[in-house]
Amino acid sequence: MSRSHKIRIHYRQKGTHYTIEVPEDRYILHSGENQGVDLPFSCRNGACTTCAVRVLSGEIYQPEAMGLSQELRQRGYALLCVSYPRSDLEVETQDEDEVYELQFGRYFGKGKVKAGLPLDED
Ligand code: FES
């Protein structure tokens, strides 16, 4: 058994809070779903930023969050679909497309952003 942490999620758009327990070796999004928590997501593999949250307190481990720039990670954003907890956490959902805009808004024109996703594919 790996250690579990308590994750408090503020789903701002719905005005709801959830508290879930997530083991250190499980993704937070997936564990939440198993516990009946309905959160935004799309790709489930760290590329689209739909599941992005702001981390208000605590520590997250997200080595596969390739859709999130280093800068935004340092500013406290995380992708729940590929995030493991490393402590108890408090997170809140982003404004719609907030992370996407922060990351791509100044580099890409509207309508062209899809092609600009840093997917690191050969
Ligand atoms: S669901 Fe796409 S990055 Fe998490």
Side-chain angles (χ1 to χ4, degrees):
M1 267 306 276
S2 66
R3 282 175 64 200
S4 284
H5 297 291
K6 189 187 284 187
I7 321 294
R8 192 167 154 79
I9 301 168
H10 181 195
Y11 196 156
R12 294 165 59 232
Q13 289 76 2
K14 291 194 173 176
T16 318
H17 286 86
Y18 301 112
T19 303
I20 56 175
E21 287 275 336
V22 183
E24 286 200 335
D25 60 352
R26 291 294 154 84
Y27 291 137
I28 296 169
L29 180 75
H30 192 232
S31 294
E33 288 176 310
N34 286 341
Q35 293 171 56
V37 169
D38 163 39
L39 290 167
F41 71 89
S42 174
C43 72
R44 287 181 179 282
N45 60 21
C48 74
T49 74
T50 305
C51 66
V53 294
R54 274 189 290 265
V55 180
L56 303 177
S57 67
E59 207 186 313
I60 244 172
Y61 181 55
Q62 50 175 345
E64 298 133 273
M66 59 193 172
L68 202 57
S69 69
Q70 198 59 40
E71 187 194 335
L72 287 181
R73 292 187 207 194
Q74 275 162 8
R75 284 168 64 176
Y77 291 93
L79 301 178
L80 287 190
C81 69
V82 290
S83 283
Y84 304 102
R86 284 295 175 266
S87 70
D88 287 353
L89 280 160
E90 192 165 348
V91 303
E92 66 178 12
T93 54
Q94 58 166 338
D95 292 324
E96 193 175 357
D97 291 338
E98 176 182 339
V99 165
Y100 199 82
E101 289 288 322
L102 279 172
Q103 191 155 245
F104 301 114
R106 65 200 141 118
Y107 299 120
F108 298 101
K110 271 215 156 77
K112 291 188 192 156
V113 282
K114 273 275 181 256
L117 280 174
L119 284 176
D120 256 336
E121 270 166 20
D122 290 322

